[in-house]
Every structure is written in C-alpha cells, then in structure tokens.
Amino acid sequence: DVKVTQSSRYLVKRTGEKVFLECVQDMDHENMFWYRQDPGLGLRLIYFSYDVKMKEKGDIPEGYSVSREKKERFSLILESASTNQTSMYLCASSSTGTSGEQFFGPGTRLTVL
Amino acid sequence: AQRVTQPEKLLSVFKGAPVELKCNYSYSGSPELFWYVQYSRQRLQLLLRHISRESIKGFTADLNKGETSFHLKKPFAQEEDSAMYYCALTGAAGNKLTFGGGTRVLVKP
C-alpha cells in the first residue's frame, strides 16, 4: 500500500517565520510534488522533483523553496511566511512508469497569523 | 499553456438521479485526462483515467477531443458519492499534472 506521509496535519506560524513542511514516501517513487489547495482554485503546483537534488518550479513558486536530499523525502520551505500563504499543502509522489497517477499525503493545513 | 476548467463549483443532486461533472481543457498536443476524488477526511485519490476506458464506482468519462472535454457521469448517484472531484491533465511533461478548480458534489437522500 502506497504511503505518503506529511510531518504535520495542522501548523500555526507567525508572519516572517521560516516554515518547513516535510513529506516522506515509502514506494521508491522518482517524482515528488508540492501543491497548495485553495477553495475555487483547485490544486496549484508549487514545485516538483524528478530525482534527488533535482527541482523544478511549478506554477506558483514565489515565496517557496524545496529540498530533496534523499529519494524518499521532499521538503517545502517558506523562507518568510506571509498571511497569503495560509492554505492546505498537499504532497504527492509518483513513479515515472505510471503517467498521471499521483499518490497524495493527508495534507498540512498551515495558518499564518 | 495547459489549462483545466471545471465550471461548476457545486453540484447538488438527489440520490438516484444522474450526475454529470463538466471538465474542459486546453492543450496543444495529445493530453491524458484524469478524474481525482477527495472524500470527507480522506486523501485525494485517482478515480479514473481516460486511457483505461473503465467504469469505476459506476462513473464513466469520455474524452471528446473535438470539444476538448472530459465530463464525468454517473447514471444513479449514491450518497457515498458526495465528495470533491478534480479533473486533471498531463501532457508531454510526463507526470506533471494540471488540476481544475474542483467540483463539490452533494448527494441528498
């Protein structure tokens, strides 16, 4: 059973804080993704990674960075959190051989005060 | 640029009635289309993909390249179908998905 886990379900931070969101998958997937999910806007891709130490910008990378030092772990970093980054953050992973099927984590609801 | 549009934010139907969720896309090549579903307090998961041409939980979706649509249909909605549904597209970039805004389906008893 594919498992994608995220470090926190709920997180509350203050404006200007540095925030780390961690994602771990246990299926040896090559690809990992970070999305934010907002009502009416659906899922928007922030960053993705096709391999260790590789990263590519998604549609809304501004204000975010990522790190992938190990194949199973993909971290999302908010260098200086702002209130407009209050959102649900979803991590996903996929195998290169199965186009389109991504496996999602439970999500982290981040509130920036 | 690729784009996915789901015009309905909310669909409310009675149990046993047909339900159709609309999805339109724009993409210059040959896309692969998907429907993902998120039930209450569960994680987002794949419902079906167009290349499989299969029916999952009574749902079907047909890719219409002429109309650039991939509508999701079920002839008789059940209460357990209440969920958030997202249409998604992937193109030449492989596993990168573009999602629509989502449609919330509420099936009333």
Side-chain angles (χ1 to χ4, degrees):
Chain A
D1 195 22
V2 177
K3 211 52 174 218
V4 179
T5 57
Q6 295 183 227
S7 51
S8 307
R9 290 303 305 271
Y10 300 94
L11 211 51
V12 180
K13 296 291 182 181
R14 297 210 173 272
T15 302
E17 280 193 82
K18 190 169 186 175
V19 182
F20 293 87
L21 302 182
E22 303 283 337
C23 175
V24 178
Q25 51 93 5
D26 65 359
M27 290 305 293
D28 202 36
H29 284 167
E30 299 85 4
N31 312 309
M32 297 188 75
F33 308 83
W34 275 107
Y35 297 91
R36 60 178 285 175
Q37 182 182 32
D38 299 288
L41 298 177
L43 277 74
R44 292 179 292 167
L45 183 63
I46 304 171
Y47 267 97
F48 59 107
S49 170
Y50 287 138
D51 200 352
V52 176
K53 297 192 186 294
M54 303 287 286
K55 60 183 179 183
E56 292 197 35
K57 292 180 180 179
D59 300 316
I60 52 164
E62 296 78 19
Y64 303 95
S65 63
V66 291
S67 173
R68 192 165 181 202
E69 296 296 318
K70 294 185 177 181
K71 190 175 185 180
E72 67 271 17
R73 187 179 298 269
F74 193 34
S75 302
L76 180 69
I77 303 152
L78 286 67
E79 294 290 341
S80 178
S82 63
T83 54
N84 62 13
Q85 292 178 310
T86 291
S87 186
M88 173 69 85
Y89 289 87
L90 298 183
C91 175
S93 72
S94 73
S95 171
T96 300
T98 56
S99 177
E101 182 167 14
Q102 295 184 10
F103 295 87
F104 285 82
T108 296
R109 182 164 295 283
L110 172 67
T111 301
V112 183
L113 302 175
Chain B
Q2 54 198 56
R3 181 189 292 271
V4 178
T5 303
Q6 294 178 248
E8 305 121 338
K9 285 186 166 47
L10 173 66
L11 272 181
S12 183
V13 299
F14 285 102
K15 177 182 173 182
V19 62
E20 180 179 29
L21 290 73
K22 291 186 168 47
C23 172
N24 292 94
Y25 67 90
S26 63
Y27 184 72
S28 56
S30 293
E32 290 186 48
L33 275 295
F34 308 85
W35 279 98
Y36 278 76
V37 61
Q38 188 170 28
Y39 301 103
S40 179
R41 287 185 284 278
Q42 294 187 27
R43 57 185 72 192
L44 192 64
Q45 60 187 289
L46 177 67
L47 178 63
L48 56 78
R49 66 185 90 191
H50 90 270
I51 58 173
S52 299
R53 297 183 179 274
E54 57 193 346
S55 173
I56 303 290
K57 299 184 179 183
F59 283 99
T60 58
D62 291 318
L63 178 60
N64 186 324
K65 292 187 177 181
E67 295 184 359
T68 59
S69 68
F70 188 56
H71 303 329
L72 183 69
K73 303 175 186 178
K74 185 169 183 177
F76 307 103
Q78 303 300 313
E79 289 183 68
E80 55 265 30
D81 297 327
S82 294
M84 193 74 179
Y85 292 81
Y86 292 97
C87 183
L89 171 159
T90 187
N95 284 278
K96 180 182 164 185
L97 284 172
T98 297
F99 285 86
T103 298
R104 181 167 297 284
V105 172
L106 177 62
V107 182
K108 297 177 286 188

